[in-house]
Amino acid sequence: MLIIILLILLDQLTKYLFGNVKNYGAAFGILQGYTTFLIIVSLAVIVICFYYYKYKNLRLGLSFILAGAIGNLIDRIFLDYVRDFIDLKFWPVFNLADMFNVIGVILLIHLNLKK
């Protein structure tokens, strides 16, 4: 659980320091203006992650997904948009929470392929 809290704090700190793009949607800017729907989806993801958290082999991947979901959920609830700041020029602008989600999914896939 400590890793989740640390990742959320890191996400929020970097957004505070560098967040200069307002994303009113989800990945790649889709679902613009559907903040309530995105909040509900985020809450569902969080509940599902906590349900599966009982499986020790999934915890690291789920921790990253939880941190990413909660980090962006905080923005959506308090700001009505998500702050993005990492601009690679060839990819849509994103943030650490987005990276945490991708890392979490990769970890879950990797851990399950090892079985």
Side-chain angles (χ1 to χ4, degrees):
M1 293 302 262
L2 181 60
I3 189 168
I4 298 168
I5 293 167
L6 291 174
L7 290 173
I8 293 169
L9 290 173
L10 181 62
D11 171 66
Q12 290 297 303
L13 176 63
T14 57
K15 287 175 178 175
Y16 174 77
L17 294 173
F18 305 111
N20 60 352
V21 175
K22 296 178 181 180
N23 183 353
Y24 290 92
F28 306 105
I30 62 170
L31 299 174
Q32 294 278 332
Y34 288 89
T35 304
T36 303
F37 173 73
L38 294 171
I39 288 171
I40 292 167
V41 169
S42 296
L43 291 171
V45 167
I46 292 166
V47 168
I48 291 166
C49 285
F50 275 121
Y51 175 79
Y52 285 101
Y53 206 78
K54 61 188 171 192
Y55 300 107
K56 291 183 182 187
N57 63 318
L58 302 178
R59 284 187 183 164
L60 183 59
L62 292 174
S63 293
F64 274 89
I65 293 171
L66 280 164
I70 293 168
N72 282 339
L73 179 63
I74 290 169
D75 280 15
R76 284 195 176 94
I77 289 173
F78 291 104
L79 302 173
D80 203 36
Y81 59 86
V82 172
R83 297 169 287 178
D84 290 331
F85 61 93
I86 302 171
D87 189 357
L88 302 177
K89 304 296 184 211
F90 62 88
W91 197 260
V93 183
F94 58 99
N95 59 49
L96 290 186
D98 300 332
M99 289 175 48
F100 297 156
N101 286 324
V102 171
I103 291 167
V105 170
I106 291 169
L107 285 170
L108 289 179
I109 292 168
H110 174 72
L111 293 171
N112 284 305
L113 289 178
K114 285 177 37 175
K115 288 186 177 180

